[in-house]
Amino acid sequence: MSTTILPEPTRSIPDRTIYERRESGVRSYARSMPRQFNKAQDVWMFDNQGGRYLDFLSGCSTLNYGHNHPVLKTALMDYVAADGITHGLDLHTDAKQDFLMALEDVVLKPRGLDYRAMFTGPTGTNAVEAAIKLARKITGRELVIAFTNGFHGMTLGALACTGNAAKRGGAGVPLSHVSHEPYDGYHGPDVDTAELLERRLSDPSSGLDAPAAIMLETVQGEGGLNAASPEWLRKIAEIARRHGALMIVDDIQAGCGRTGNFFSFEGMGFTPDIVTMAKSLSGMGLPFALTLFRPELDQWSPGEHNGTFRGNNHAFVTATAALRHFWSTDVFQQDVARRSGLLERRLDAMAAEHGLSTRGRGMMRGIDVGSGEIAETITATCFAQGLIIETSGAHDEIVKVLAPLVIDDAVLSAGLDILEEAIRSAFTVTYGVAAE
């Protein structure tokens, strides 16, 4: 195999004194990947000692088009060189107009969708907060139904909808007005959790109040790559409609092509009332979040919900370039579908070798290795070989592949070879210790 498609990691750990002295202990990724990175291009990250690492994390799906894609980089550099507006609050700007036109022409109209776009704050949790607030305003209700293993953000409203106990524990106050109902498959394949939800909502003695919204991820990014079936999603959408709730799809991690289509709910047979987006929306890792909703739901009064950085014009520029470059035809989407098949086949083979199972959909997939300890061993082994990869799930038991969607097949295969050997090594050690 050519060394040009293999990582070349650095073996020595750099000086981390300033981080240990000045940066909060809340940092996490830097603990398991102790290098100082100074450059990134395409699917590669480079450290300041000359090491090269293959990125199977993609900024947690923020870099679906890779690092510093030349089309996006050129668009941004040209805009900055022309002294384009950087920060515009919610003022009208050329950059915002171009983005809205691209959103309408490239994304919404071809899919038969009619959404108003609300520019919130810079990150996904801001989009979720706006969605929840709007649903409560429209319906006059308080309760939001979210689902087990869901993750929606770290600010209080979004955190209340998040299932993870460790993250919820950091709130310091009660997280209320949310009911966490079982996601598709939570009780096993023979229990229809949509029917359980319908039964509770239809029973005036169930104790479950009429909800303002039902919010879900079609694939649970942080909760273990659980992928809901189209049938279940359609049932939930119908339940929301029947009970006067708004259906919110959180497409922050699963959107922008990660599951194959631009929106993760495409082809599922339903249309959400509200959609939240962020992460790869800017295309280049620039902060940009968006809440989309049906026009008749646009009942905000001016300034009722805002955010200082809702007008990141640099992100508008790169987002527009990304939409027009990748989504104006179906060529990119077809390429992602083909590459998703390659990823699926390889992960299925790895899982079968050790009696494991896979999770996810599209280019958002992983392997359930059974425990967080084993998963940590696998990801550490991968990093030692120059592969950046993380875990997911309630116990961090899922080894999660979020490679850039633009990755070359040969490079993807090379990275999966590293993962395959790391899994094989971990289970050889695990079984060897168990035998002793």
Side-chain angles (χ1 to χ4, degrees):
M1 182 180 295
S2 170
T3 57
T4 60
I5 63 173
L6 292 176
E8 298 174 356
T10 299
R11 299 303 172 190
S12 59
I13 297 175
D15 180 19
R16 295 173 290 175
T17 305
I18 186 62
Y19 302 107
E20 293 168 355
R21 186 169 71 244
R22 290 298 175 195
E23 190 178 7
S24 167
V26 75
R27 63 191 184 277
S28 60
Y29 288 113
R31 297 179 184 277
S32 57
M33 303 174 195
R35 297 295 185 274
Q36 182 155 315
F37 297 95
N38 65 355
K39 181 181 175 182
Q41 185 178 42
D42 191 29
V43 299
W44 300 100
M45 293 186 69
F46 301 83
D47 69 21
N48 64 354
Q49 301 176 79
R52 184 174 72 166
Y53 299 78
L54 179 55
D55 187 0
F56 270 23
L57 175 58
S58 301
C60 200
S61 201
T62 298
L63 297 161
N64 284 359
Y65 313 116
H67 295 269
N68 290 307
H69 190 281
V71 171
L72 312 188
K73 182 169 69 172
T74 297
L76 179 59
M77 291 174 69
D78 288 347
Y79 182 81
V80 172
D83 291 328
I85 298 293
T86 297
H87 176 277
L89 293 171
D90 63 10
L91 294 171
H92 297 164
T93 66
D94 288 353
K96 182 189 284 189
Q97 175 181 270
D98 290 346
F99 170 74
L100 285 170
M101 292 179 69
L103 178 68
E104 181 176 72
D105 295 339
V106 177
V107 176
L108 298 180
K109 284 185 175 179
R111 291 162 177 80
L113 297 172
D114 186 12
Y115 286 132
R116 291 282 176 88
M118 178 181 179
F119 301 95
T120 58
T123 190
T125 195
N126 302 120
V128 171
E129 294 286 354
I132 294 169
K133 186 187 290 188
L134 180 61
R136 287 171 171 156
K137 174 182 174 69
I138 295 294
T139 64
R141 301 171 178 177
E142 295 180 347
L143 181 72
V144 173
I145 290 176
F147 291 92
T148 51
N149 291 306
F151 178 84
H152 299 286
M154 299 295 282
T155 51
L156 291 183
L159 187 58
C161 297
T162 292
N164 185 279
K167 291 179 171 57
R168 291 173 61 84
V173 296
L175 298 171
S176 56
H177 306 302
V178 175
S179 177
H180 295 268
E181 300 298 316
Y183 192 74
D184 190 19
Y186 186 78
H187 291 303
D190 298 327
V191 178
D192 186 345
T193 58
E195 175 57 34
L196 294 181
L197 178 59
E198 169 61 25
R199 190 180 307 171
R200 290 197 68 198
L201 286 172
S202 298
D203 181 356
S205 294
S206 71
L208 188 63
D209 294 332
I214 300 178
M215 181 162 64
L216 56 81
E217 305 156 274
T218 68
V219 182
Q220 296 184 317
E222 301 305 303
L225 298 178
N226 307 302
S229 70
E231 295 77 15
W232 187 84
L233 290 168
R234 287 194 294 271
K235 288 180 180 178
I236 297 297
E238 176 56 25
I239 289 169
R241 187 199 63 77
R242 189 161 49 245
H243 292 277
L246 299 180
M247 185 169 183
I248 304 171
V249 168
D250 181 339
D251 237 7
I252 290 166
Q253 188 168 146
C256 296
R258 179 52 63 180
T259 57
N261 300 311
F262 185 81
F263 294 111
S264 72
F265 56 83
E266 289 182 50
M268 298 292 182
F270 73 98
T271 301
D273 299 298
I274 304 175
V275 183
T276 61
M277 304 196 77
K279 290 194 182 287
S280 278
L281 184 59
S282 78
M284 201 171 165
L286 301 178
F288 184 16
L290 196 66
T291 303
L292 303 171
F293 40 79
R294 292 189 286 107
E296 60 270 29
L297 303 180
D298 190 16
Q299 298 180 24
W300 296 109
S301 59
E304 188 176 359
H305 184 96
N306 57 37
T308 300
F309 292 100
R310 64 194 182 278
N312 183 355
N313 281 250
H314 289 173
F316 296 160
V317 168
T318 55
T320 300
L323 292 182
R324 295 205 180 279
H325 181 74
F326 291 104
W327 297 100
S328 289
T329 70
D330 63 357
V331 172
F332 176 68
Q333 185 170 313
Q334 291 179 358
D335 196 42
V336 172
R338 180 189 54 75
R339 194 166 289 123
S340 297
L342 187 160
L343 175 60
E344 181 181 18
R345 290 189 296 274
R346 286 295 305 272
L347 292 182
D348 283 348
M350 294 180 208
E353 179 179 348
H354 304 285
L356 306 174
S357 61
T358 58
R359 300 283 188 276
R361 178 158 62 90
M363 289 287 286
M364 189 176 183
R365 295 182 186 273
I367 297 181
D368 184 348
V369 299
S371 77
E373 292 76 17
I374 295 175
E376 183 179 3
T377 296
I378 291 168
T379 56
T381 301
C382 285
F383 186 73
Q385 297 301 313
L387 179 66
I388 296 173
I389 192 169
E390 72 162 341
T391 60
S392 174
H395 305 284
D396 295 318
E397 74 279 16
I398 310 295
V399 178
K400 177 182 181 182
V401 178
L402 289 178
L405 306 183
V406 297
I407 191 170
D408 180 81
D409 288 3
V411 178
L412 174 61
S413 294
L416 293 174
D417 289 344
I418 294 172
L419 175 59
E420 183 175 40
E421 287 303 315
I423 293 173
R424 190 173 289 140
S425 174
F427 279 90
T428 298
V429 171
T430 299
Y431 293 142
V433 171
E436 293 175 2

